Amino acid sequence: MKAIVYRENGGPDVLRLVDRDLPVPGPGEVRVRVAVSGVNPTDWQARSGLAHAKQFPEVTPHLDGAGVIDAVGEGVDRSRVGERVWLFMAAAGRPTGTAAEFTVVPAERAVPLPDEAGFDAGAALGVPALTAHRALTVAEDGPRRLRPGALDGAVVLAAGGAGAVGHAVIQLALWAGATVISTVSGPEKARLATAAGAHHVVDYREGDPAAEIRGIAPDGVDIVAEVALGANIALDLAVLRARGTIATYANDGGKPVELDVLRSMVLNARLQFLVLYTAGPQARTAAAEDVAAALRDGALPVGAEHGLPLTRFPLHRTADAHRAVESGTVGKVLVDITS
Ligand SMILES: NC(=O)c1ccc[n+]([C@@H]2O[C@H](COP(=O)([O-])OP(=O)(O)OC[C@H]3O[C@@H](n4cnc5c(N)ncnc54)[C@H](OP(=O)(O)O)[C@@H]3O)[C@@H](O)[C@H]2O)c1
């Protein structure tokens, strides 16, 4: 099979297209013929060694993808052969990511993809949707699971709603019944966040965003899903309601976090940090189940018309796909395995 691998950490040029033997699924695992691989910032961060040192002599990158199960290991129901699936955390703690014609993952990381959902939508889920789910389910007064109605009456602020995770926050919050506000950096991103379903968009670079958000939600915001904590903590605390939660999955821009302890205390605010790897199997399984339900409901479409433009590369140009993500390409970067 054809696979992308890297043997040392470094820039995109360390990625090589090679031929490898077909991987064999072990007990509890499935082998998937990958159709589309989804690229996330964490993939280039892992490749570069920024996130952590490489754990295996040779690594095929990418956590997310979608395809069809073509073999199962011992203990996995044989009826799963032929099942269309979306994958999450394929390369987490394993050397076999989705940038290859075939990958092997634990059976629970291959989630059925409904017939109505294409492989692009499936490959775009993993990291963004599961992260968004966690951000929306860690509030003190909020639900631990998402379903239609779970966030009825709640106000969610999706910071940077034109980003991949921000997009998933908007879609899942909307599906669960929340009023969704998104911050954006300009009119093009406002268009995307609106296309994703945000009820209100606020340009965080113009005017007085806190006053604008307070105007929309006079009682304050219940949950902020935050991508740039240092840059936005003051804004978040200015619009948060009592016992509200700031769920932060990144500090894009790298600005140091200056926490107003008194205001946080007065609000009984919750500042929740999140990363999928250590969220625990229970939270990830719950997230995968709820995301699958949202997908079945047609709540997670992709493409520019739904606020998530797709940029595609063939497998042999995976290095360019990494460059695209690293340089901040708007929307979702996908690698077509079969082209
Ligand atoms: N913790 C986790 O488990 C986890 C999971 C997924 C991703 N991440 C991290 O989360 C970050 C985003 O990932 P992604 O895939 O969504 O990337 P992305 O598609 O590139 O989106 C990043 C978004 O952040 C927005 N942004 C940057 N600074 C902002 C600010 N000050 N205020 C509001 N929005 C701001 C950008 O919007 P503008 O250009 O309009 O500012 C952009 O839309 C990355 O650092 C990634 O490594 C963490």
Side-chain angles (χ1 to χ4, degrees), residues 39-42 45 127-128 131 159-167 183-186 189 204-205 226-228 231-232 248-253 274-277 308 325 328-332:
V39 193
N40 293 283
T42 187
Q45 290 159 5
V127 168
T131 303
V165 179
H167 177 262
T183 54
V184 292
S185 63
K189 299 228 166 149
Y204 69 85
R205 293 188 179 166
E226 185 53 78
V227 65
N232 292 330
T248 185
Y249 56 91
N251 189 25
D252 280 14
L274 23 129
V275 72
L276 273 185
Y277 303 108
L308 194 73
V325 174
T329 295
V330 177
K332 190 74 208 172

Side-chain angles (χ1 to χ4, degrees), residues 64 86-87 113 120-130 291 295 300 332:
D64 297 346
W86 59 277
L87 308 178
L113 187 64
D120 290 354
L125 290 174
V127 168
L130 300 187
V291 166
L295 190 65
L300 303 173
K332 190 74 208 172

Side-chain angles (χ1 to χ4, degrees), residues 231-322:
N232 292 330
I233 182 83
L235 170 65
D236 295 346
L237 287 173
V239 300
L240 204 65
R241 73 182 302 164
R243 294 191 310 285
T245 293
I246 301 166
T248 185
Y249 56 91
N251 189 25
D252 280 14
K255 191 168 175 210
V257 178
E258 282 177 32
L259 184 64
D260 182 338
V261 174
L262 181 60
R263 175 144 184 91
S264 307
M265 228 160 50
V266 167
L267 284 172
N268 258 282
R270 179 178 286 203
L271 179 53
Q272 170 84 43
F273 294 88
L274 23 129
V275 72
L276 273 185
Y277 303 108
T278 52
Q282 226 180 332
R284 284 195 300 265
T285 302
E289 287 173 7
D290 294 351
V291 166
L295 190 65
R296 284 195 298 274
D297 280 356
L300 303 173
V302 298
E305 67 279 24
H306 301 293
L308 194 73
L310 304 178
T311 303
R312 341 181 57 94
F313 294 89
L315 183 63
H316 70 272
R317 290 187 57 209
T318 298
D320 287 331
H322 278 218

Side-chain angles (χ1 to χ4, degrees), residues 87-285:
L87 308 178
F88 65 93
M89 289 183 63
R94 313 168 54 85
T96 50
T98 63
E101 289 180 312
F102 292 86
T103 188
V104 164
V105 294
E108 65 278 8
R109 295 187 193 176
V111 188
L113 187 64
D115 287 344
E116 318 79 64
F119 289 130
D120 290 354
L125 290 174
V127 168
L130 300 187
T131 303
H133 183 281
R134 181 133 176 88
L136 294 170
T137 53
V138 290
E140 182 179 354
D141 298 335
R144 292 289 167 270
R145 299 291 299 254
L146 297 184
R147 54 175 173 71
L151 288 172
D152 272 0
V155 178
V156 168
L157 174 60
V165 179
H167 177 262
V169 169
I170 292 173
Q171 288 185 325
L172 282 175
L174 187 69
W175 175 66
T179 296
V180 186
I181 307 170
S182 173
T183 54
V184 292
S185 63
E188 175 54 23
K189 299 228 166 149
R191 230 172 31 79
L192 292 173
T194 303
H199 299 103
H200 309 273
V201 289
V202 172
D203 191 327
Y204 69 85
R205 293 188 179 166
E206 298 276 334
D208 183 346
E212 218 177 311
I213 293 167
R214 277 275 172 199
I216 297 162
D219 295 333
V221 168
D222 296 86
I223 301 170
V224 183
E226 185 53 78
V227 65
L229 187 65
N232 292 330
I233 182 83
L235 170 65
D236 295 346
L237 287 173
V239 300
L240 204 65
R241 73 182 302 164
R243 294 191 310 285
T245 293
I246 301 166
T248 185
Y249 56 91
N251 189 25
D252 280 14
K255 191 168 175 210
V257 178
E258 282 177 32
L259 184 64
D260 182 338
V261 174
L262 181 60
R263 175 144 184 91
S264 307
M265 228 160 50
V266 167
L267 284 172
N268 258 282
R270 179 178 286 203
L271 179 53
Q272 170 84 43
F273 294 88
L274 23 129
V275 72
L276 273 185
Y277 303 108
T278 52
Q282 226 180 332
R284 284 195 300 265
T285 302

